[in-house]
Amino acid sequence: MAETEQQSGSTPEEDTPDVTAGLTFMVPKKEISMVPHMGKWKRSQAYADYIGFILTLNEGVKGKKLTCEYKVSKTVEKLLELLEILDRWINETPPVDQPSRFGNKAFRTWYAKLDQEAEALVAAVLPADRSAAAPEIAVYLKESVGNPTRIDYGTGHEAAFAAFLCCLCKVGALRVEDQLAIVFKVFNRYLSVMRKLQRTYRMEPAGSQGVWGLDDFQFLPFIWGSSQFIDHPTLEPRHFIDERVVNEHHQDYMFLECIKFINEMKTGPFAEHSNQLWNISAVPSWSKVNQGLIRMYKAECLEKFPVIQHFKFGSLLSIQPVKP
């Protein structure tokens, strides 16, 4: 099943610069305003491209450590510089004193800076002949850091960052040989910036299901992180709840980085604060965990109206139905 979806989606193999030939870039906008519109999303080119992108990267990182060797292109370096700037802005925007413990209003000051600079930041990453795409692609970057009104962050924001990377592939800024760097360098750096935002401004989880959700904030690093473990000679799913294993191997595996962050942020027995993950630790193999998480991601994130109503569609991620 995964393979057929992969073929219908946007895979970095197709991401040659002429993908955008004849495209007029546009500022993306919301298209899914009612539950009955969800069918339109699932039939759209955007859905096929997005899920194809996630599954291609899932395949690419299979069995590989974060510390393995891979090519780092100019675009990847520029993306890391962009994320470094966002990180620096957090240092320059300390939390303010306020009565409420959660949702520090300084986040809005930080966000206003991104709102103002996003287009220029994205233009700096794009090849010169693709600069016209900056206003369209910048929207996904702005959507990927959390909501400035509610001061919350959730899987919809994470999906916007994956959509941002997918768009960079579609305009040819990122190529097939960047696959490992996209996940291990760029996405991993994005996660560290998001964790810093969540900690610094005490952001609320958006639409969290509490102990019944996989995680308060992220989902994709669990998918790609479980793929990294496929066919591992010694580490099995049951090992990730062992703190010693987490501390020893978290530099190599995204999944364990996520568990480490949960352990730092939450107190009490793991089975109580992260029940879904506790259940996953009983699954016999990493490939079964990986397949189960992909199914869960579709059901809990991509097919949930409260998440998808915020997704924006443009020329690169189009609401138009997949061409037969």
Side-chain angles (χ1 to χ4, degrees):
M1 185 173 125
E3 277 143 36
T4 55
E5 275 163 347
Q6 227 164 300
Q7 286 151 9
S8 67
S10 167
T11 66
E13 272 111 322
E14 306 154 19
D15 302 327
T16 47
D18 56 8
V19 168
T20 54
L23 267 191
T24 309
F25 297 114
M26 58 187 274
V27 175
K29 59 184 203 299
K30 294 178 185 180
E31 298 276 3
I32 309 298
S33 56
M34 293 152 59
V35 175
H37 293 167
M38 286 297 283
K40 194 160 75 165
W41 151 243
K42 282 160 74 179
R43 288 188 296 273
S44 72
Q45 190 60 52
Y47 182 89
D49 286 346
Y50 181 85
I51 201 74
F53 181 68
I54 300 302
L55 294 173
T56 299
L57 294 174
N58 186 61
E59 204 53 43
V61 301
K62 194 180 277 185
K64 297 192 172 71
K65 292 180 177 183
L66 289 170
T67 48
C68 74
E69 283 192 17
Y70 48 82
K71 182 179 166 292
V72 176
S73 66
K74 269 276 181 290
T75 305
V76 167
E77 282 172 3
K78 288 177 185 170
L79 282 166
L80 295 173
E81 283 164 24
L82 182 158
L83 290 164
E84 190 54 48
I85 291 167
L86 302 191
D87 194 323
R88 197 174 67 237
W89 288 347
I90 303 174
N91 300 339
E92 293 167 6
T93 319
V96 294
D97 282 337
Q98 61 178 48
S100 154
R101 238 178 92 215
F102 289 96
N104 195 283
K105 291 181 175 58
F107 174 72
R108 291 179 184 148
T109 311
W110 179 90
Y111 183 86
K113 208 175 283 190
L114 173 62
D115 196 35
Q116 207 179 337
E117 302 287 336
E119 228 168 278
L121 289 171
V122 172
V125 170
L126 291 170
D129 62 343
R130 286 284 173 262
S131 59
E136 176 162 345
I137 298 175
V139 168
Y140 296 104
L141 179 64
K142 290 191 283 190
E143 294 280 317
S144 74
V145 296
N147 182 289
T149 309
R150 295 186 302 272
I151 314 180
D152 65 4
Y153 176 96
T155 48
H157 302 110
E158 178 190 73
F161 192 74
F164 166 70
L165 295 172
C166 182
C167 288
L168 290 174
C169 284
K170 293 201 80 169
V171 297
L174 290 169
R175 313 297 272 271
V176 63
E177 57 271 23
D178 293 318
Q179 272 187 39
L180 283 177
I182 289 172
V183 180
F184 291 172
K185 273 258 188 272
V186 182
F187 192 80
N188 215 25
R189 184 70 180 101
Y190 162 76
L191 280 181
S192 74
V193 176
M194 292 309 105
R195 286 173 183 144
K196 189 166 170 176
L197 279 178
Q198 291 152 16
R199 266 201 187 110
T200 306
Y201 304 121
R202 300 300 300 269
M203 295 176 81
E204 297 269 21
S208 168
Q209 297 166 301
V211 295
W212 305 112
L214 185 68
D215 179 73
D216 280 344
F217 298 112
Q218 314 299 156
F219 205 117
L220 290 173
F222 291 97
I223 294 179
W224 294 331
S226 61
S227 180
Q228 282 184 275
F229 273 127
I230 290 174
D231 298 331
H232 193 285
T234 53
L235 293 175
E236 295 170 16
R238 65 192 169 91
H239 290 118
F240 76 73
I241 46 179
D242 178 343
E243 235 167 294
R244 191 182 49 82
V245 171
V246 172
N247 293 333
E248 215 170 296
H249 298 281
H250 71 91
Q251 273 106 343
D252 284 330
Y253 296 102
M254 222 170 213
F255 198 101
L256 300 183
E257 264 307 341
C258 293
I259 301 297
K260 185 172 179 282
F261 185 65
I262 291 170
N263 289 339
E264 286 165 7
M265 297 296 276
K266 299 198 169 187
T267 53
F270 192 89
E272 286 175 24
H273 63 62
S274 301
N275 192 263
Q276 280 278 22
L277 283 167
W278 175 263
N279 291 338
I280 286 170
S281 72
V283 175
S285 74
W286 283 109
S287 63
K288 280 206 161 47
V289 169
N290 186 244
Q291 288 158 10
L293 286 173
I294 290 166
R295 277 197 306 274
M296 189 176 168
Y297 185 61
K298 287 176 183 169
E300 297 300 321
C301 300
L302 301 185
E303 291 171 13
K304 283 280 188 284
F305 174 72
V307 175
I308 299 306
Q309 65 175 333
H310 301 294
F311 198 90
K312 292 183 176 175
F313 301 85
S315 69
L316 295 167
L317 288 169
S318 166
I319 190 66
Q320 295 309 315
V322 173
K323 292 180 183 73

